[in-house]
């Protein structure tokens, strides 16, 4: 997904973001971004009937740009199709105001999102995630040879070249010590660029590919640096790195590399995100009944107010449907509860930093509020 510039009606210029979906994955992000009440401005094909001078009528299809106020959305994950339905809310020479229309948003066709009530923290975070190349589960790859390294991101749908690293390596006819020093400088430059380009705050798969032993030596260099500096991040990077053979250090060699069994196994694992781990952790703690796993709005609200959810190991689990509620007040309530981006999750639950055993002891707690179990994913705050 990338930001683009599009012309929109003057009355809709504020609070607008124009986007270009680049792959099927972007259509999923668009679905999470567009909510009832938003205004979408996009290309449309509309059947128009007009009268002739003789009094008869003719009909035909015209290409135009329409702005509609969203009433509902439908996303088909199989074909990555997103349909947005609503009523026309801006003047158009072919379509009357208030007319119902359904827009078909497609890959490689720009559209504009207008949020009349402003972009809340969830919407901003969803947009940031949609625009980021380095999404959860993306595979970091370094395709290299002596003096050249291409650092890439591999997602389920595409490969993005992030940066190219070049360094002068002494020729083999020079002293071995000079060549070794040149390779160390090259590895140092490549590693610092990799750490600056990619987010390794969470464990992630890393692919190292090269002809000969360059990738193997680079992995050893990372492991040695992690050991010598007592750097847990570098130790984890070396541990997660998979070394495979490539014909060269150029990007086009990735086509061959991505067919190897080792890489196919890594890319299969990309489908399993850290949210699954949080849900598993929640149910494990729920079985222990030690006061650190709670669900239901009242109990979780009290835990948040007591500071028991957040930095220090706390995890908040919230159903995405609460953020997609047609009721603006409901959306704002759960936006304020989360404080930042929350992905599709079970209803509402929390893993606490420390045990609290009496969160459900409240006279005004709604009946059944504590008895509803979460269903799907999670986000750490």
């Amino acid at each position: 997904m990338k930001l683009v510039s599009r012309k929109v009606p003057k009355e809709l210029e504020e609070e607008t973001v124009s986007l270009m979906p680049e792959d099927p994955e972007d259509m999923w992000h668009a679905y999470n971004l567009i909510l009832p009440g938003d205004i979408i401005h996009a290309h449309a094909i509309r059947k128009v009937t007009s009268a002739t001078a003789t009094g008869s009528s003719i009909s035909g299809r015209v290409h135009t740009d329409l702005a509609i106020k969203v009433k509902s959305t439908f996303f088909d994950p199989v074909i990555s199709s997103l349909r947005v339905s609503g009523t026309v809310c801006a003047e158009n020479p072919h379509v009357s105001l208030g007319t119902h229309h359904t827009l078909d948003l497609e890959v490689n066709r720009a559209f504009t999102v207008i949020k009349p009530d402003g972009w809340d923290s969830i919407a901003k975070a969803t947009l940031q995630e949609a625009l980021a190349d380095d999404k959860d589960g993306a595979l970091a790859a370094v395709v290299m040879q002596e003096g050249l390294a291409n650092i890439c991101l591999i997602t389920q749908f595409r490969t993005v070249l992030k940066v190219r690293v070049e360094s002068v390596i002494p020729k083999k006819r020079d002293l071995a010590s000079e060549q070794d020093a040149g390779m160390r400088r090259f590895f140092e430059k490549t590693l610092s660029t990799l750490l600056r380009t990619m987010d390794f705050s969470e464990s992630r798969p890393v692919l190292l590919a090269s002809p000969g032993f360059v990738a193997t030596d680079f992995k050893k260099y990372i492991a040695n640096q992690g050991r010598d500096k007592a750097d847990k991040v570098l130790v984890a990077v070396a541990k997660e790195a998979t070394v495979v053979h490539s014909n060269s250090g150029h990007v086009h060699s990735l086509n061959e590399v991505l067919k190897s069994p080792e890489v196919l196994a890594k890319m299969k694992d990309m489908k399993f995100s850290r949210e699954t781990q949080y849900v598993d952790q929640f149910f494990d703690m729920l079985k222990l009944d030690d006061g650190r796993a709670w669900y239901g709005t009242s109990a979780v609200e009290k835990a948040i107010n007591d500071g028991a959810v957040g930095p220090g190991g706390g995890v908040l689990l919230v159903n995405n449907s609460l953020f997609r509620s047609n009721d603006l007040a409901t959306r704002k309530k759960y936006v304020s509860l989360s404080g930042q981006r929350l992905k599709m999750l079970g209803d509402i639950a929390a893993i606490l930093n420390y045990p609290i055993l009496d969160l459900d002891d409240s006279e005004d707690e709604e009946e059944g509020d504590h008895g509803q179990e979460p269903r799907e994913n999670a986000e750490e705050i």
Side-chain angles (χ1 to χ4, degrees):
M1 188 86 78
K2 64 180 180 181
L3 285 171
V4 295
S5 177
R6 294 185 71 246
K7 291 184 178 180
V8 297
K10 289 185 177 180
E11 63 268 25
L12 301 176
E13 286 181 350
E14 294 186 2
E15 301 290 350
T16 67
V17 172
S18 296
L19 302 169
M20 174 75 78
E22 297 178 290
D23 55 47
E25 185 179 359
D26 288 339
M27 301 309 299
W28 167 250
H29 289 290
Y31 168 69
N32 284 317
L33 187 64
I34 299 171
L35 299 171
D38 293 348
I39 296 173
I40 302 299
H41 186 260
H43 174 268
I45 301 176
R46 182 81 181 186
K47 184 178 180 180
V48 177
T49 302
S50 58
T52 65
T54 60
S56 60
S57 60
I58 57 174
S59 61
R61 295 185 177 275
V62 297
H63 290 260
T64 185
D65 289 331
L66 285 181
I68 67 170
K69 187 169 185 178
V70 179
K71 287 188 174 180
S72 64
T73 58
F74 174 77
F75 177 70
D76 186 341
V78 177
I79 59 175
S80 296
S81 169
L82 177 57
R83 308 196 76 194
V84 182
S85 300
T87 54
V88 176
C89 60
E91 292 185 1
N92 184 283
H94 305 291
V95 186
S96 302
L97 287 173
T99 304
H100 185 273
H101 187 84
T102 298
L103 294 171
D104 291 304
L105 304 186
E106 303 173 356
V107 174
N108 294 321
R109 180 168 288 176
F111 64 91
T112 300
V113 182
I114 301 103
K115 291 189 175 287
D117 296 309
W119 290 73
D120 58 35
S121 61
I122 299 299
K124 289 178 180 178
T126 302
L127 176 61
Q128 183 178 7
E129 181 182 4
L131 296 174
D133 290 322
D134 194 358
K135 300 178 174 68
D136 286 345
L139 181 68
V142 183
V143 188
M144 59 197 314
Q145 62 188 40
E146 289 188 0
L148 172 66
N150 290 286
I151 299 175
C152 308
L153 266 176
I154 303 172
T155 71
Q156 186 179 354
F157 299 100
R158 58 178 172 157
T159 298
V160 180
L161 174 62
K162 299 296 290 183
V163 65
R164 181 186 179 98
V165 178
E166 293 181 285
S167 181
V168 177
I169 306 296
K171 302 296 183 181
K172 290 186 178 180
R173 64 175 178 266
D174 296 327
L175 293 175
S177 59
E178 292 181 359
Q179 189 175 17
D180 290 343
M183 288 300 294
R184 282 196 301 271
R185 288 193 298 270
F186 170 55
F187 286 161
E188 180 182 4
K189 184 177 181 181
T190 302
L191 179 57
S192 62
T193 304
L194 177 65
L195 295 175
R196 186 172 62 252
T197 304
M198 305 291 183
D199 180 13
F200 288 102
S201 58
E202 296 285 343
S203 178
R204 67 184 306 165
V206 182
L207 173 66
L208 305 178
S210 77
F213 297 97
V214 177
T216 301
D217 291 342
F218 183 52
K219 180 177 179 178
K220 291 179 181 177
Y221 175 81
I222 298 173
N224 291 338
Q225 289 293 303
R227 181 197 61 203
D228 297 342
K229 297 179 179 180
D231 190 322
K232 293 182 179 179
V233 173
L234 293 180
V235 171
V237 171
K239 183 179 179 181
E240 292 290 336
T242 300
V243 176
V244 295
H245 177 269
S246 66
N247 289 330
S248 74
H250 297 282
V251 177
H252 61 77
S253 295
L254 272 177
N255 293 330
E256 167 206 355
V257 170
L258 294 178
K259 297 177 183 178
S260 70
E262 299 98 326
V263 177
L264 290 175
K266 287 287 184 182
M267 294 186 72
K268 183 178 180 181
D269 290 341
M270 288 164 53
K271 298 179 180 180
F272 300 95
S273 63
R274 60 182 179 179
E275 285 76 21
T276 303
Q277 300 174 8
Y278 292 140
V279 174
D280 291 342
Q281 182 184 2
F282 172 80
F283 280 106
D284 288 342
M285 290 185 174
L286 195 62
K287 292 176 184 177
L288 293 175
D289 194 22
D290 64 353
R292 287 203 300 152
W294 288 91
Y295 55 93
T297 303
S298 296
V300 173
E301 278 184 336
K302 289 168 67 177
I304 292 173
N305 292 334
D306 290 344
V309 180
V315 179
L316 180 64
L317 310 152
V318 181
N319 189 339
N320 191 53
S321 64
L322 296 175
F323 298 129
R324 297 186 61 84
S325 171
N326 292 340
D327 182 7
L328 182 60
T330 300
R331 282 212 307 268
K332 288 184 175 180
K333 173 182 178 180
Y334 287 98
V335 167
S336 64
L337 270 181
S338 67
Q340 66 171 27
R341 178 177 56 89
L342 294 163
K343 293 186 175 181
M344 265 184 58
L345 308 174
D347 285 355
I348 180 166
I351 299 172
L352 309 189
N353 299 332
Y354 52 84
I356 301 179
L357 301 176
D358 58 352
L359 289 177
D360 53 349
D361 294 340
S362 176
E363 294 181 357
D364 58 352
E365 185 175 32
E366 294 181 4
E367 182 179 356
D369 193 40
H370 179 65
Q372 192 173 9
E373 294 190 357
R375 288 181 295 237
E376 292 177 349
N377 300 331
E379 168 90 7
E380 184 175 14
I381 65 168

